[in-house]
């Protein structure tokens, strides 16, 4: 039953995905067709003065369409993760400059990196794009500026882990959390935030793919992602990734044999 439920949820997500693409694409094509028809009318009339404005509009729309397809391909390709041992602290440090530039001067970025952090098992490129997406979402949620904190931690979940980790099997995980002091999400937005193409942003600004891709990435990595958010206070996104060679991973291959320790 669980498998069927998962399957039907998958089908629903794919349905939303296709519907969303069709809708976005239609909007973009309408723009391109509009610009092209203005251009051809003006050429017929011999008015060449303002043509480049319409050419630029058409070309801008075409680029948006290309970007949409790029993200769609990345979404489809997430099947083939290139999983390697990852030092999350190093990855965050390597991205700090890029993140600072993306966030702008109004946003105060700080990092809290746990000492003796375990190695995570995840795809580096996917994680980088996840972090960038989270930073962009945080920036959008703080138009007046604010604070963004990226934190790493080791997390050990045993059998008796609290219900908030229902979606994770027991084992060792790396936690990377991104906290902003932005507008926050209403419960309705939070409930839909992972849906492909769900966005509250104006057309052309949001694709609604960021969090759904992060969700897919987390699940593919045998991890999990969760949202804590309060309107007017801010949002924390927590991404759990399995520790390399952790219990959960090993269990899937073979239960570890008891090794007699030599005396
Ligand atoms: P997009 O950013 O393109 O809209 P996402 O899937 O990344 O797509 O996010 C979906 C929606 O979730 C956003 O439109 C926004 O309403 C909400 N959201 C995401 N991140 C945050 C955040 N940090 N603070 C407040 N709302 C957020």
């Amino acid at each position: 039953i669980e498998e069927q439920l998962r399957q039907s949820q998958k089908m629903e997500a794919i349905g939303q995905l296709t519907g969303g693409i069709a809708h976005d694409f239609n909007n973009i094509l309408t723009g391109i067709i509009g610009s092209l028809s203005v251009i051809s009318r003006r050429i017929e009339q011999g008015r060449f003065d303002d043509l480049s404005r319409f050419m630029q509009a058409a070309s801008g729309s075409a680029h948006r369409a290309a970007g949409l397809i790029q993200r769609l391909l990345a979404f489809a390709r997430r099947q083939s993760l290139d999983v390697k041992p990852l030092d999350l602290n190093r990855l965050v440090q390597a991205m700090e400059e890029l993140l600072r530039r993306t966030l702008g001067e109004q946003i105060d970025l700080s990092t809290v990196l746990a000492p003796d952090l375990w190695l995570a098992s995840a795809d580096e490129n996917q994680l980088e794009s996840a972090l960038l997406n989270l930073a962009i979402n945080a920036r959008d949620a703080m138009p007046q500026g604010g604070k963004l904190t990226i934190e790493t931690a080791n997390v050990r979940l045993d059998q008796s882990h609290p219900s908030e980790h229902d979606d994770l099997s027991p084992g060792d995980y790396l936690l990377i959390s991104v906290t902003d002091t932005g507008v926050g999400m209403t419960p309705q937005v939070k409930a839909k935030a992972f849906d492909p193409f769900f966005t509250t942003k104006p057309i052309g600004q949001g694709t609604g793919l960021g969090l759904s891709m992060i969700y897919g990435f987390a699940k593919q990595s045998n991890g999990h992602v969760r949202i804590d958010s309060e309107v007017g206070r801010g949002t924390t996104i927590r991404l759990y990734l399995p520790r390399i060679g952790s219990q959960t991973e090993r269990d899937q291959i073979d239960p570890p044999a008891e090794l007699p320790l030599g005396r």
Side-chain angles (χ1 to χ4, degrees):
I1 288 178
E2 247 181 54
E3 181 53 37
Q4 278 171 356
L5 195 66
R6 206 170 308 135
Q7 203 56 36
S8 77
Q9 280 168 345
K10 214 195 246 169
M11 291 311 291
E12 198 184 314
I14 291 170
Q16 282 172 349
L17 195 72
T18 10
I21 297 163
H23 180 248
D24 272 28
F25 236 89
N26 218 17
N27 285 339
I28 293 174
L29 286 181
T30 305
I32 296 177
I33 292 167
S35 298
L36 288 179
S37 72
V38 173
I39 292 168
S40 65
R41 203 167 338 114
R42 295 212 167 186
I43 289 177
E44 280 165 19
Q45 295 166 348
R47 294 168 57 197
F48 304 109
D49 49 318
D50 214 11
L51 278 186
S52 74
R53 191 156 62 89
F54 295 100
M55 303 281 279
Q56 272 163 21
S59 146
S61 299
H63 276 105
R64 264 202 297 137
L68 185 67
I69 292 303
Q70 279 303 315
R71 284 189 289 271
L72 190 66
L73 287 176
F75 191 78
R77 250 191 246 122
R78 73 185 204 277
Q79 311 298 74
S80 55
L81 291 180
D82 179 20
V83 176
K84 288 200 196 101
L86 262 192
D87 180 343
L88 297 191
N89 284 350
R90 239 190 33 210
L91 184 131
V92 171
Q93 279 167 333
M95 286 187 73
E96 218 171 314
E97 190 45 44
L98 169 72
L99 292 176
R100 245 175 246 289
R101 254 186 292 130
T102 307
L103 291 165
E105 285 180 349
Q106 280 195 314
I107 291 166
D108 176 19
L109 170 69
S110 53
T111 57
V112 183
L113 305 180
D116 303 318
L117 197 67
W118 300 325
L119 291 178
S121 146
D123 179 296
E124 185 169 16
N125 290 328
Q126 300 261 359
L127 181 56
E128 281 177 357
S129 91
L131 275 184
L132 191 59
N133 261 302
L134 291 177
I136 290 170
N137 278 348
R139 182 197 63 192
D140 293 346
M142 298 187 284
Q144 282 2 312
K147 265 181 70 76
L148 182 76
T149 311
I150 301 179
E151 217 166 324
T152 58
N154 294 331
V155 177
R156 174 157 290 166
L157 297 181
D158 56 27
Q159 244 73 34
S160 61
H161 61 260
S163 57
E164 64 174 286
H165 294 301
D166 267 356
D167 286 312
L168 285 174
S169 41
D172 288 347
Y173 293 89
L174 278 292
L175 167 63
I176 181 157
S177 62
V178 178
T179 301
D180 67 56
T181 56
V183 293
M185 299 183 206
T186 63
Q188 292 88 332
V189 168
K190 191 184 143 181
K192 291 195 151 188
F194 290 126
D195 291 356
F197 290 101
F198 173 80
T199 182
T200 58
K201 295 171 190 176
I203 294 171
Q205 258 188 53
T207 58
L209 284 176
L211 284 178
S212 69
M213 286 200 283
I214 292 170
Y215 185 85
F217 163 64
K219 287 292 148 194
Q220 289 279 316
S221 313
N222 294 318
H224 185 58
V225 58
R226 52 169 300 179
I227 301 173
D228 287 290
S229 189
E230 203 181 315
V231 172
R233 291 191 63 96
T235 301
T236 297
I237 311 282
R238 292 186 171 84
L239 183 57
Y240 294 86
L241 295 169
R243 177 186 188 179
I244 195 95
S246 91
Q247 198 65 42
T248 42
E249 266 197 323
R250 266 188 267 134
D251 283 348
Q252 285 162 9
I253 305 164
D254 228 345
E258 288 280 334
L259 285 180
L261 291 172
R263 302 175 181 249

